[in-house]
Amino acid sequence: MITFTPLSGAAGTPRTVPLAYLLQVDDVRILLDCGSPDWCPETSEQEIEVYGPPAWEVYCDALRECAPSVDLVLLSHGDLSHSGLYAYAHAHWGLAAPAYTTLPVQAMARIAATEDVEGIRDEQQVDDGSSPNQGSSLEGSASPSVPAASPALASATPPPSSRTGKLRYVATVQQVHDAFDSVNVLRYSQPCHLQGKCQGLTIIPFNAGHTLGGTIWKIRSPSAGTILYAVDMNHMRERHLDGTVLIRQAGAGGGIFESLARPDLLITDAERANVTTARRKDRDSALLDCVTATLSSRNSLLMPCDSSTRVLELLVLLDQHWNYSRLKYPICLLSRTGREMLTFVRSMMEWLGGTISKEDVGEEGTGHGGRDRRRRDEDNDDEALGAFALRFRHLEFFPNPQSLMQTYSSKDPKLILAVPATLSHGPSRSLFSQFAEIPDNVVLLTGRSEPGTLGRLLFDKWNNSQREEAKWDRGKIGSNIMMDGVLRLEMHSKIPLQGAELEEFLAKERAAKEKEAAQQAALARTQRMLEADEGQSDSDSDDENSDSDDDDENEVERTLEEDLMDTTEDLKRSREGPNASSRSSGKRKRGEGGGADGAEWALGDDDGVTRISFDIYLKGNVAKATSFFKSAEGQTQRFRMFPYVEKRRKVDEYGETLDVGMWLRKGRVLEEDAEDEEAKEAKRRKEEEEAKKTPREPPSKFVTSIAEVQLACRLFFVDLEGLNDGRAVKTIVPQVNPRKMILIHAPQSATAALIESCANIRAMTKEIYAPSQGETVQIGQQTNSFSISLSDELLASIRMSRFEDNEVGYVAGRISSLATSTIPVLQPTSSASLQSQTVSLLPARAHMLGSRPTQPLPQSTMIGELKLTVLKSRLAQVGIQAELVGEGVLVCGAAAKRGASVDSLGDSVAVRKTARGRVELEGSVSDIYYRVRKEVYALHALVAA
């Protein structure tokens, strides 16, 4: 049985991202994608009225609840909407199931998540989830190695987690790397047979287009059949990617890829089912014309973009235009991970396609004596190998807007690509607040962004200003608009501490360090005392004495804790002198290492701690004697004996117990002694160099301000998302022809449009589901599956027939249980025993004289679906002419020839397909008959009994 539940990105909702779905096949729970929402949406009343408040709490609660029970994770694309929340769920919510994806998706998802978490944590205070909320806006350092941001700054007031006051789930950079390092990578068309609880399932990735390494997942189950998960596809060939393999290109004959045709269940998106996209040539021309005209007029452009996936198509397009038009204006990419992303892409040439030649991998030819020389980058980077089309000679990298402003002034014409595409935080939002106030600058959008973000607000503003026939979903290219009015933006930043705030922070940091140093010193001293006592203890101890020692130690410690206040009074009475009361009035607490081997006491306040070590216990195992006569000071106290516990070596049934920690410490000391002076000096220099490379960030605080932006720039939108439009979706889905279909990731209008289109096709399935968020769809019935092992003798006797990707055979045997195995074994049985069993099951009949017993004949089974068009082409290859004369009838032989005589019609055969899936061969017994039957058999898998 198949159970499907959309956690986010359901059908019929205005918020179609992020994508996350729970698919259960029998007992195996599969998480399809694990995207993250935009954590910094706008909170304008207009946005809340249109889209409602951010609904990620419902999604995150559902994912947190089901994450520990997930058995398998499949990631389809490397952007935030498909893979952004995987790192946080892996680190905090117990999503430890094995995850699979392709190598580019793993790297692109890591880069996108790193860029996102660094951008948010660089501007706002984020609760890590694993520690109590810290309400202070101060931060000691951005480096995780400095423990200063620290307990001294902790507060009970939770921080404002977002503009909407909701908690955000943002991982750390280390958690992102750890999570994606654990992901298993596959190649396209590589079947992976899962083990463990998922045993029996096979997953195969196929190219989906849209992003580098984008995947269509094919899941094969022995009980549920074939499941196809295909979202965010693109059948069009782009500059750096080939189209999806789901549908062949016209040059390859068209049609659906055989391995992906006719699945039992198709899970696909319908987000753009009612969208008509303009021709790619027109869209590229409109974008490049806008860029050229703006730069030629000495103005600049701002293009918000993502950090890893669709930015590649933009870079290739712009680089080709710069080279062709010989433009000298700079292309500036504002991204922390831009260089890392391009370095990886240059090493993944086998995953690229489109107009980038796969043979052009940076070699300068095989001439010059047969020596292959590699082409280096302009910055002499030997590792940055790749195609010439990925060199991007006009591209410059900047980690933040400040470095960009130091290189180019606001008056210099330039093209700026800034992350993120939603303009919700980071460099793109910071630049927009200054960029939009300059007249004739252009903000060029290439995607619609997530609902509720500043990017979607600007898109809606542009789309509402267009004529009805020029809107974005009508297949036309609109025009740019002039923005006006005032836009209020909430800006977040991190500024260094100054003045009194800095002094207060440094004082707290010094106090915390002193306290930690005192604790470490006390702990080290106690450890030395323990090791010294162990070295002087006797070695002839037994189990009985060790048990009693433990009881004695616990009793002493318990008595000391109970009588702490009494001990204070005894100290007061035992002291003499005028200043005895003042000395004993300080706070006293037990030391860190107090135990049975000696007690440490602290007298004084927290600022000045004076530690006094006593060789004996002040008050040990005492007993209060009860008496009828009461003294003035209360009941008398009687000491039993000197409160000393003898330290003895502890042994178990295998001998003396070892202190592993002590041996590790001794091992480290021996290693340090074994190192020579040169190695120590080299190690010290290396640590100093690393400290210089990552200088400590000065103490800083997070500041929130409201910026009023006077809009004066122009706004333009060109669709470069690289997704199928409505025409492609309505053409591809009927050709895939699934037996059942689930629609996801679509608004209500698009969902209804695709369902209506499928309903008009007679051969299309009528079982189409469109579940809402949290709604569960059940398909099929519960199936119990059992494991059985085939004996070697039986396996050697099976005649296998190939059908699609499987080999099918008929098995008859006897199940037996062996003492050496928990799995039952199917062993062969003789034909005589099977025959006797079959005859014994038949009803008894009267025996007639001279009659023979009825012999049951084994029946063979043929698996497959006969297509008359395929049979016709196969017959033509063997020299038999065939023609389709009616619906479901193929005439073969002489009758298919024009002008055939009546005498030759005897050599004709008619092949019919009935509505119930039966195939009938009608004709006289002849050579044609047997040849046609042979070809019919060849198109099926014959399972011989």
Side-chain angles (χ1 to χ4, degrees):
M1 182 175 66
I2 299 175
T3 304
F4 183 82
T5 306
L7 305 180
S8 178
T13 58
R15 297 183 182 272
T16 59
V17 290
L19 284 76
Y21 310 99
L22 186 63
L23 174 68
Q24 182 170 345
V25 182
D26 293 335
D27 295 331
V28 180
R29 295 164 65 88
I30 305 173
L31 181 63
L32 303 174
D33 285 331
C34 187
S36 65
D38 191 284
W39 301 113
C40 307
E42 302 299 319
T43 56
S44 65
E45 296 180 359
Q46 179 183 2
E47 291 294 308
I48 294 178
E49 290 177 1
V50 176
Y51 301 109
W56 67 65
E57 282 295 334
V58 177
Y59 159 50
C60 293
D61 290 342
L63 181 59
R64 184 194 300 110
E65 181 180 354
C66 70
S69 61
V70 169
D71 303 310
L72 179 65
V73 181
L74 300 179
L75 304 178
S76 58
H77 293 276
D79 52 5
L80 293 175
S81 61
H82 293 82
S83 311
L85 197 56
Y86 174 72
Y88 191 92
H90 181 273
H92 297 277
W93 294 344
L95 187 60
Y100 290 86
T101 188
T102 57
L103 180 60
V105 169
Q106 179 201 33
M108 292 301 180
R110 186 206 310 268
I111 292 171
T114 301
E115 181 74 39
D116 187 56
V117 301
E118 284 185 346
I120 294 178
R121 289 178 175 273
D122 195 43
E123 294 182 352
Q124 305 175 46
Q125 180 74 24
V126 176
D127 178 25
D128 289 337
S130 58
S131 60
N133 292 334
Q134 295 182 0
S136 175
S137 62
L138 304 179
E139 178 178 314
S141 173
S143 173
S145 61
V146 180
S150 74
L153 303 178
S155 173
T157 305
S161 295
S162 69
R163 300 189 184 103
T164 59
K166 290 192 175 185
L167 182 66
R168 292 168 301 173
Y169 305 99
V170 181
T172 62
V173 176
Q174 186 61 41
Q175 290 171 356
V176 170
H177 287 280
D178 293 342
F180 287 103
D181 284 342
S182 66
V183 175
N184 304 288
V185 296
L186 300 173
R187 300 184 304 273
Y188 282 151
S189 303
Q190 176 189 352
C192 178
H193 305 284
L194 303 179
Q195 301 297 327
K197 187 178 180 181
C198 303
Q199 186 172 8
L201 292 182
T202 302
I203 56 175
I204 309 174
F206 294 92
N207 181 21
H210 177 57
T211 63
L212 185 63
T215 304
I216 296 174
W217 285 106
K218 179 180 179 181
I219 308 170
R220 302 189 60 176
S221 168
S223 59
T226 302
I227 303 171
L228 209 61
Y229 176 65
V231 294
D232 289 342
M233 298 179 295
N234 185 16
H235 71 288
M236 296 296 294
R237 188 168 180 247
E238 297 186 278
R239 282 176 170 78
H240 77 294
L241 290 175
D242 291 327
T244 177
V245 300
L246 183 60
I247 184 169
R248 297 192 189 94
Q249 301 297 326
I256 298 296
F257 189 47
E258 290 87 350
S259 298
L260 303 178
R262 194 62 173 164
D264 294 284
L265 175 63
L266 172 64
I267 305 172
T268 188
D269 63 322
E271 184 182 19
R272 300 165 75 97
N274 56 353
V275 173
T276 302
T277 307
R279 294 189 309 167
R280 174 185 154 185
K281 181 180 179 181
D282 297 338
R283 288 182 279 128
D284 292 349
S285 299
L287 184 140
L288 296 177
D289 291 345
C290 178
V291 169
T292 305
T294 304
L295 294 177
S296 300
S297 60
R298 308 295 297 175
N299 292 299
S300 300
L301 295 98
L302 173 63
M303 295 179 62
C305 63
D306 65 288
S307 58
S308 62
T309 52
R310 295 303 303 172
V311 68
L312 284 173
E313 182 71 11
L314 284 175
L315 291 177
V316 174
L317 172 64
L318 294 173
D319 187 70
Q320 291 177 355
H321 179 65
W322 251 245
N323 292 332
Y324 180 79
S325 301
R326 300 184 182 278
L327 300 179
K328 300 300 182 182
Y329 306 104
I331 303 176
C332 308
L333 177 61
L334 263 71
S335 173
R336 296 177 177 85
T337 58
R339 290 184 183 274
E340 179 186 356
M341 182 267 296
L342 286 181
T343 301
F344 170 78
V345 171
R346 291 182 183 123
S347 66
M348 290 285 104
M349 293 304 301
E350 67 272 17
W351 297 87
L352 296 172
T355 58
I356 298 179
S357 174
K358 295 183 180 180
E359 290 78 17
D360 185 10
V361 293
E363 296 180 355
E364 295 181 351
T366 57
H368 306 285
R371 294 172 298 165
D372 295 338
R373 292 200 298 248
R374 300 180 300 178
R375 181 175 180 176
R376 269 69 172 174
D377 249 342
E378 288 183 351
D379 55 355
N380 295 326
D381 186 4
D382 294 346
E383 300 298 329
L385 299 177
F388 294 157
L390 298 177
R391 310 311 288 182
F392 302 130
R393 294 183 293 118
H394 308 280
L395 184 64
E396 301 181 27
F397 299 93
F398 298 94
N400 50 55
Q402 291 75 20
S403 59
L404 174 65
M405 294 304 174
Q406 292 175 1
T407 306
Y408 298 103
S409 69
S410 58
K411 298 181 181 180
D412 295 333
K414 53 190 173 294
L415 173 60
I416 305 173
L417 301 171
V419 298
T422 57
L423 294 164
S424 58
H425 64 277
S428 61
R429 187 180 184 88
S430 177
L431 273 178
F432 176 81
S433 61
Q434 308 170 12
F435 190 88
E437 296 180 342
I438 302 177
D440 293 330
N441 277 358
V442 176
V443 177
L444 184 54
L445 304 177
T446 58
R448 295 182 300 154
S449 299
E450 183 177 337
T453 60
L454 177 58
R456 174 57 73 91
L457 189 147
L458 294 177
F459 167 77
D460 291 339
K461 186 179 185 67
W462 175 87
N463 195 43
N464 295 333
S465 302
Q466 302 299 313
R467 300 189 309 273
E468 190 64 28
E469 65 275 5
K471 292 186 180 296
W472 81 281
D473 57 351
R474 301 301 174 86
K476 302 291 184 181
I477 302 294
S479 58
N480 60 52
I481 63 171
M482 178 67 72
M483 291 196 296
D484 55 2
V486 178
L487 183 63
R488 293 172 58 87
L489 296 179
E490 185 176 330
M491 307 298 295
H492 298 271
S493 59
K494 184 168 66 173
I495 60 176
L497 297 180
Q498 295 178 352
E501 291 180 339
L502 180 60
E503 293 296 331
E504 179 185 359
F505 173 81
L506 294 178
K508 290 182 178 180
E509 191 178 39
R510 283 194 299 269
K513 288 183 177 180
E514 291 174 359
K515 185 177 180 180
E516 184 180 1
Q519 293 175 353
Q520 293 293 336
L523 198 61
R525 179 180 178 277
T526 304
Q527 187 65 35
R528 289 196 300 271
M529 294 174 62
L530 282 173
E531 292 179 357
D533 289 344
E534 286 188 7
Q536 297 174 0
S537 61
D538 298 330
S539 59
D540 50 350
S541 62
D542 54 5
D543 295 340
E544 297 177 0
N545 291 335
S546 65
D547 294 340
S548 62
D549 290 345
D550 292 339
D551 296 339
D552 293 342
E553 290 181 22
N554 296 335
E555 189 175 359
V556 170
E557 291 180 0
R558 185 169 58 252
T559 305
L560 286 174
E561 292 173 359
E562 292 175 354
D563 298 337
L564 183 60
M565 298 304 299
D566 294 340
T567 307
T568 306
E569 297 299 329
D570 293 343
L571 282 174
K572 286 184 178 180
R573 289 194 298 270
S574 64
R575 292 213 174 106
E576 295 179 359
N579 58 346
S581 61
S582 62
R583 288 197 307 269
S584 63
S585 62
K587 184 187 293 185
R588 182 172 55 219
K589 62 179 183 178
R590 190 173 178 183
E592 287 289 326
D597 57 303
E600 292 183 359
W601 300 86
L603 289 84
D605 54 8
D606 291 341
D607 296 334
V609 179
T610 303
R611 298 188 177 276
I612 303 176
S613 176
F614 298 95
D615 294 334
I616 63 174
Y617 289 98
L618 294 178
K619 193 169 187 179
N621 192 2
V622 299
K624 295 184 179 180
T626 59
S627 174
F628 179 78
F629 302 99
K630 297 183 178 179
S631 62
E633 297 181 359
Q635 296 181 352
T636 60
Q637 297 178 344
R638 181 173 66 238
F639 287 86
R640 296 177 180 173
M641 60 173 292
F642 182 75
Y644 172 72
V645 178
E646 182 180 2
K647 299 294 295 183
R648 300 190 180 189
R649 295 187 181 274
K650 297 179 180 180
V651 297
D652 54 16
E653 57 270 22
Y654 297 103
E656 181 181 353
T657 58
L658 299 179
D659 185 1
V660 180
M662 181 181 67
W663 286 104
L664 291 176
R665 289 190 295 273
K666 290 182 178 179
R668 284 195 293 267
V669 173
L670 292 176
E671 290 178 359
E672 292 177 359
D673 294 342
E675 291 182 353
D676 54 359
E677 293 298 329
E678 294 182 359
K680 293 181 180 179
E681 184 66 21
K683 187 176 181 180
R684 187 182 60 80
R685 285 198 302 267
K686 185 177 180 181
E687 292 177 354
E688 292 178 356
E689 291 177 359
E690 292 180 354
K692 291 179 181 179
K693 289 182 181 178
T694 57
R696 178 181 174 183
E697 186 176 339
S700 56
K701 65 178 180 179
F702 296 104
V703 177
T704 301
S705 61
I706 302 297
E708 294 188 354
V709 181
Q710 183 66 44
L711 300 177
C713 65
R714 293 185 173 275
L715 180 64
F716 191 41
F717 170 78
V718 178
D719 183 13
L720 290 180
E721 291 187 75
L723 293 170
N724 287 336
D725 63 352
R727 294 172 298 183
V729 171
K730 295 174 183 178
T731 302
I732 294 174
V733 169
Q735 293 188 37
V736 176
N737 195 18
R739 292 178 173 85
K740 297 179 180 64
M741 184 166 64
I742 296 178
L743 297 182
I744 54 174
H745 185 42
Q748 183 61 44
S749 58
T751 304
L754 185 55
I755 293 177
E756 181 182 358
S757 174
C758 294
N760 295 330
I761 301 175
R762 187 177 62 178
M764 188 65 186
T765 180
K766 306 304 177 186
E767 296 187 56
I768 302 177
Y769 306 92
S772 58
Q773 184 174 3
E775 180 183 355
T776 299
V777 174
Q778 292 186 355
I779 299 175
Q781 299 178 351
Q782 180 67 32
T783 303
N784 296 323
S785 58
F786 303 92
S787 298
I788 191 170
S789 177
L790 301 182
S791 64
D792 296 338
E793 183 181 357
L794 180 65
L795 197 59
S797 62
I798 299 176
R799 295 195 304 177
M800 307 297 291
S801 299
R802 189 168 187 83
F803 175 67
E804 292 184 355
D805 297 335
N806 301 318
E807 290 187 354
V808 186
Y810 181 83
V811 177
R814 184 190 301 270
I815 297 177
S816 60
S817 298
L818 302 180
T820 58
S821 175
T822 58
I823 301 177
V825 179
L826 187 64
Q827 295 181 347
T829 56
S830 62
S831 58
S833 60
L834 283 178
Q835 178 179 340
S836 62
Q837 292 179 6
T838 307
V839 173
S840 62
L841 295 176
L842 295 177
R845 295 183 182 179
H847 181 68
M848 296 178 60
L849 185 61
S851 64
R852 297 180 180 178
T854 304
Q855 296 291 337
L857 297 177
Q859 295 183 353
S860 298
T861 304
M862 302 185 69
I863 300 176
E865 182 180 1
L866 178 64
K867 294 183 179 180
L868 297 181
T869 54
V870 178
L871 178 60
K872 178 183 175 182
S873 61
R874 288 182 65 98
L875 292 175
Q877 294 176 1
V878 297
I880 300 176
Q881 189 171 355
E883 292 293 338
L884 289 167
V885 297
E887 185 175 357
V889 179
L890 180 67
V891 176
C892 313
K897 301 178 182 179
R898 293 184 179 179
S901 61
V902 180
D903 298 335
S904 61
L905 295 180
D907 295 335
S908 301
V909 177
V911 183
R912 289 187 176 87
K913 285 183 63 177
T914 62
R916 293 175 295 176
R918 298 175 61 88
V919 179
E920 298 179 356
L921 268 70
E922 181 181 352
S924 59
V925 177
S926 61
D927 181 59
I928 296 293
Y929 176 84
Y930 289 106
R931 292 170 65 186
V932 172
R933 190 183 68 169
K934 180 180 178 182
E935 295 301 328
V936 172
Y937 285 174
L939 292 174
H940 292 78
L942 179 62
V943 181

PDB file of all heavy atoms in Angstrom, residues 911-923:
ATOM      1  N   VAL A 911      -3.733 -10.529 -36.906  1.00  0.00           N
ATOM      2  CA  VAL A 911      -3.415 -10.421 -35.481  1.00  0.00           C
ATOM      3  C   VAL A 911      -4.399  -9.424 -34.871  1.00  0.00           C
ATOM      4  O   VAL A 911      -4.477  -8.269 -35.309  1.00  0.00           O
ATOM      5  CB  VAL A 911      -1.965  -9.962 -35.254  1.00  0.00           C
ATOM      6  CG1 VAL A 911      -1.644  -9.920 -33.761  1.00  0.00           C
ATOM      7  CG2 VAL A 911      -0.986 -10.869 -35.975  1.00  0.00           C
ATOM      8  N   ARG A 912      -5.147  -9.876 -33.870  1.00  0.00           N
ATOM      9  CA  ARG A 912      -6.160  -9.034 -33.237  1.00  0.00           C
ATOM     10  C   ARG A 912      -5.840  -8.867 -31.744  1.00  0.00           C
ATOM     11  O   ARG A 912      -5.393  -9.800 -31.091  1.00  0.00           O
ATOM     12  CB  ARG A 912      -7.549  -9.656 -33.376  1.00  0.00           C
ATOM     13  CG  ARG A 912      -8.122  -9.629 -34.774  1.00  0.00           C
ATOM     14  CD  ARG A 912      -9.577 -10.112 -34.762  1.00  0.00           C
ATOM     15  NE  ARG A 912     -10.188 -10.024 -36.073  1.00  0.00           N
ATOM     16  CZ  ARG A 912     -10.126 -10.969 -36.997  1.00  0.00           C
ATOM     17  NH1 ARG A 912      -9.476 -12.110 -36.731  1.00  0.00           N
ATOM     18  NH2 ARG A 912     -10.698 -10.812 -38.172  1.00  0.00           N
ATOM     19  N   LYS A 913      -6.130  -7.667 -31.256  1.00  0.00           N
ATOM     20  CA  LYS A 913      -6.064  -7.389 -29.819  1.00  0.00           C
ATOM     21  C   LYS A 913      -7.463  -7.123 -29.322  1.00  0.00           C
ATOM     22  O   LYS A 913      -8.162  -6.226 -29.821  1.00  0.00           O
ATOM     23  CB  LYS A 913      -5.183  -6.165 -29.536  1.00  0.00           C
ATOM     24  CG  LYS A 913      -3.701  -6.419 -29.657  1.00  0.00           C
ATOM     25  CD  LYS A 913      -2.903  -5.170 -29.294  1.00  0.00           C
ATOM     26  CE  LYS A 913      -3.141  -4.785 -27.865  1.00  0.00           C
ATOM     27  NZ  LYS A 913      -2.337  -3.614 -27.461  1.00  0.00           N
ATOM     28  N   THR A 914      -7.903  -7.921 -28.364  1.00  0.00           N
ATOM     29  CA  THR A 914      -9.224  -7.714 -27.793  1.00  0.00           C
ATOM     30  C   THR A 914      -9.136  -6.738 -26.636  1.00  0.00           C
ATOM     31  O   THR A 914      -8.049  -6.395 -26.154  1.00  0.00           O
ATOM     32  CB  THR A 914      -9.811  -9.050 -27.309  1.00  0.00           C
ATOM     33  OG1 THR A 914      -8.961  -9.578 -26.284  1.00  0.00           O
ATOM     34  CG2 THR A 914      -9.886 -10.043 -28.459  1.00  0.00           C
ATOM     35  N   ALA A 915     -10.279  -6.300 -26.183  1.00  0.00           N
ATOM     36  CA  ALA A 915     -10.322  -5.308 -25.125  1.00  0.00           C
ATOM     37  C   ALA A 915      -9.830  -5.858 -23.792  1.00  0.00           C
ATOM     38  O   ALA A 915      -9.450  -5.111 -22.912  1.00  0.00           O
ATOM     39  CB  ALA A 915     -11.743  -4.763 -24.970  1.00  0.00           C
ATOM     40  N   ARG A 916      -9.857  -7.169 -23.624  1.00  0.00           N
ATOM     41  CA  ARG A 916      -9.442  -7.766 -22.360  1.00  0.00           C
ATOM     42  C   ARG A 916      -7.957  -8.093 -22.321  1.00  0.00           C
ATOM     43  O   ARG A 916      -7.493  -8.798 -21.424  1.00  0.00           O
ATOM     44  CB  ARG A 916     -10.245  -9.054 -22.123  1.00  0.00           C
ATOM     45  CG  ARG A 916     -11.725  -8.791 -21.891  1.00  0.00           C
ATOM     46  CD  ARG A 916     -12.480 -10.094 -21.790  1.00  0.00           C
ATOM     47  NE  ARG A 916     -12.453 -10.834 -23.049  1.00  0.00           N
ATOM     48  CZ  ARG A 916     -12.977 -12.039 -23.224  1.00  0.00           C
ATOM     49  NH1 ARG A 916     -13.567 -12.639 -22.201  1.00  0.00           N
ATOM     50  NH2 ARG A 916     -12.924 -12.640 -24.398  1.00  0.00           N
ATOM     51  N   GLY A 917      -7.180  -7.618 -23.289  1.00  0.00           N
ATOM     52  CA  GLY A 917      -5.749  -7.851 -23.292  1.00  0.00           C
ATOM     53  C   GLY A 917      -5.330  -9.143 -23.943  1.00  0.00           C
ATOM     54  O   GLY A 917      -4.177  -9.541 -23.837  1.00  0.00           O
ATOM     55  N   ARG A 918      -6.256  -9.843 -24.620  1.00  0.00           N
ATOM     56  CA  ARG A 918      -5.913 -11.097 -25.289  1.00  0.00           C
ATOM     57  C   ARG A 918      -5.449 -10.807 -26.711  1.00  0.00           C
ATOM     58  O   ARG A 918      -5.895  -9.852 -27.357  1.00  0.00           O
ATOM     59  CB  ARG A 918      -7.120 -12.028 -25.318  1.00  0.00           C
ATOM     60  CG  ARG A 918      -7.606 -12.438 -23.933  1.00  0.00           C
ATOM     61  CD  ARG A 918      -8.870 -13.269 -24.035  1.00  0.00           C
ATOM     62  NE  ARG A 918      -8.657 -14.490 -24.789  1.00  0.00           N
ATOM     63  CZ  ARG A 918      -8.240 -15.634 -24.267  1.00  0.00           C
ATOM     64  NH1 ARG A 918      -8.021 -15.709 -22.953  1.00  0.00           N
ATOM     65  NH2 ARG A 918      -8.077 -16.713 -25.008  1.00  0.00           N
ATOM     66  N   VAL A 919      -4.550 -11.649 -27.212  1.00  0.00           N
ATOM     67  CA  VAL A 919      -4.034 -11.544 -28.571  1.00  0.00           C
ATOM     68  C   VAL A 919      -4.463 -12.796 -29.338  1.00  0.00           C
ATOM     69  O   VAL A 919      -4.240 -13.922 -28.878  1.00  0.00           O
ATOM     70  CB  VAL A 919      -2.488 -11.404 -28.570  1.00  0.00           C
ATOM     71  CG1 VAL A 919      -1.967 -11.321 -29.989  1.00  0.00           C
ATOM     72  CG2 VAL A 919      -2.076 -10.179 -27.764  1.00  0.00           C
ATOM     73  N   GLU A 920      -5.079 -12.609 -30.492  1.00  0.00           N
ATOM     74  CA  GLU A 920      -5.562 -13.724 -31.304  1.00  0.00           C
ATOM     75  C   GLU A 920      -4.868 -13.717 -32.654  1.00  0.00           C
ATOM     76  O   GLU A 920      -4.756 -12.661 -33.293  1.00  0.00           O
ATOM     77  CB  GLU A 920      -7.073 -13.627 -31.504  1.00  0.00           C
ATOM     78  CG  GLU A 920      -7.875 -13.707 -30.207  1.00  0.00           C
ATOM     79  CD  GLU A 920      -9.370 -13.571 -30.452  1.00  0.00           C
ATOM     80  OE1 GLU A 920      -9.730 -13.330 -31.634  1.00  0.00           O
ATOM     81  OE2 GLU A 920     -10.140 -13.679 -29.489  1.00  0.00           O
ATOM     82  N   LEU A 921      -4.377 -14.886 -33.090  1.00  0.00           N
ATOM     83  CA  LEU A 921      -3.796 -15.083 -34.416  1.00  0.00           C
ATOM     84  C   LEU A 921      -4.766 -15.931 -35.227  1.00  0.00           C
ATOM     85  O   LEU A 921      -5.106 -17.054 -34.827  1.00  0.00           O
ATOM     86  CB  LEU A 921      -2.442 -15.782 -34.331  1.00  0.00           C
ATOM     87  CG  LEU A 921      -1.203 -14.882 -34.241  1.00  0.00           C
ATOM     88  CD1 LEU A 921      -1.160 -14.190 -32.893  1.00  0.00           C
ATOM     89  CD2 LEU A 921       0.066 -15.688 -34.469  1.00  0.00           C
ATOM     90  N   GLU A 922      -5.210 -15.390 -36.343  1.00  0.00           N
ATOM     91  CA  GLU A 922      -6.186 -16.084 -37.189  1.00  0.00           C
ATOM     92  C   GLU A 922      -5.596 -16.227 -38.584  1.00  0.00           C
ATOM     93  O   GLU A 922      -5.170 -15.245 -39.201  1.00  0.00           O
ATOM     94  CB  GLU A 922      -7.502 -15.302 -37.240  1.00  0.00           C
ATOM     95  CG  GLU A 922      -8.573 -15.987 -38.074  1.00  0.00           C
ATOM     96  CD  GLU A 922      -9.852 -15.197 -38.125  1.00  0.00           C
ATOM     97  OE1 GLU A 922      -9.963 -14.181 -37.391  1.00  0.00           O
ATOM     98  OE2 GLU A 922     -10.741 -15.567 -38.918  1.00  0.00           O
ATOM     99  N   GLY A 923      -5.564 -17.461 -39.096  1.00  0.00           N
ATOM    100  CA  GLY A 923      -5.044 -17.708 -40.428  1.00  0.00           C
ATOM    101  C   GLY A 923      -4.767 -19.182 -40.626  1.00  0.00           C
ATOM    102  O   GLY A 923      -4.840 -19.995 -39.695  1.00  0.00           O
TER     103      GLY A 923
END
